[in-house]
Amino acid sequence: GCNPGFHDPDQNPVDGCECSEDFVNGQLQDIPSACPGFNVGDLHDGNDSGTRSTTRNGTLSAVNDGDLYFFHAHDDGCLFCGDNYGAEATLTGPPGMMLCANYQDSGTGCGGLPTNCQTIGGSGSVNMRGNGQSGIFGSSDNSEDVTLVVMWSQGAGAQCGQYSLSMRADGDFGG
């Protein structure tokens, strides 16, 4: 058996428990695969104060492991400027890792069926965007609730993989 917080995805006792859980706030613990998952909090598009983006590093410790992230992407108003807005996420990791996303209306909360899933291929990353809007002078609020799930694609096989997930609310969809 493995010590708490460690896994043996290939079930080979010769190479030991080669995969650790995620580190959350400096402590070894699993990021849940169901809501609320890891609540990133609020991200802003840059027209107001607040954090625009964040990056989280994680580990999928087995083929059936999944990590769920949730954030609220604010489309802050901008009366006298172009208001480009768009929530987006970029997953960087090994081939076979998959990012699934659900971009919903503001106030919907965490969850819902993923509207899009992309699997990492030879490029080492995938990028997904929400609904977004181009730079419309004094445009309306298009804030979104974003649920992201990082997991292995079907047939990926038992493995351990580290990833980096970048999330932001200031993607420029107008250019």
Side-chain angles (χ1 to χ4, degrees), residues 49-124:
S49 62
T51 303
R52 287 182 172 192
S53 64
T54 189
T55 299
R56 300 286 179 199
N57 297 314
T59 303
L60 294 183
S61 59
V63 70
N64 61 350
D65 189 13
D67 294 346
L68 183 141
Y69 296 85
F70 170 76
F71 69 94
H72 180 75
H74 286 272
D75 176 18
D76 300 317
C78 182
L79 185 58
F80 295 110
C81 63
D83 189 21
N84 292 323
Y85 161 78
E88 70 180 319
T90 302
L91 176 67
T92 303
M97 199 171 273
M98 182 167 53
L99 176 62
C100 293
N102 188 3
Y103 296 89
Q104 302 181 88
D105 290 337
S106 179
T108 307
C110 180
L113 294 175
T115 56
N116 195 1
C117 291
Q118 293 183 22
T119 302
I120 295 176
S123 69

Side-chain angles (χ1 to χ4, degrees), residues 3-158:
N3 290 332
F6 291 87
H7 301 274
D8 186 13
D10 64 5
Q11 300 296 305
N12 183 353
V14 173
D15 60 10
C17 300
E18 66 273 14
C19 193
S20 69
E21 285 288 358
D22 302 298
F23 279 90
V24 178
N25 298 326
Q27 295 187 9
L28 199 63
Q29 74 181 58
D30 187 35
I31 296 173
S33 59
C35 286
F38 185 94
N39 189 343
V40 173
D42 294 343
L43 298 178
H44 296 263
D45 72 354
N47 292 328
D48 198 2
S49 62
T51 303
R52 287 182 172 192
S53 64
T54 189
T55 299
R56 300 286 179 199
N57 297 314
T59 303
L60 294 183
S61 59
V63 70
N64 61 350
D65 189 13
D67 294 346
L68 183 141
Y69 296 85
F70 170 76
F71 69 94
H72 180 75
H74 286 272
D75 176 18
D76 300 317
C78 182
L79 185 58
F80 295 110
C81 63
D83 189 21
N84 292 323
Y85 161 78
E88 70 180 319
T90 302
L91 176 67
T92 303
M97 199 171 273
M98 182 167 53
L99 176 62
C100 293
N102 188 3
Y103 296 89
Q104 302 181 88
D105 290 337
S106 179
T108 307
C110 180
L113 294 175
T115 56
N116 195 1
C117 291
Q118 293 183 22
T119 302
I120 295 176
S123 69
S125 68
V126 292
N127 184 295
M128 300 176 77
R129 292 181 155 191
N131 299 317
Q133 76 180 32
S134 60
I136 303 168
F137 186 74
S139 61
S140 61
D141 182 4
N142 291 290
S143 299
E144 300 173 280
D145 286 339
V146 181
T147 303
L148 304 167
V149 179
V150 179
M151 61 187 172
W152 289 109
S153 61
Q154 189 173 12

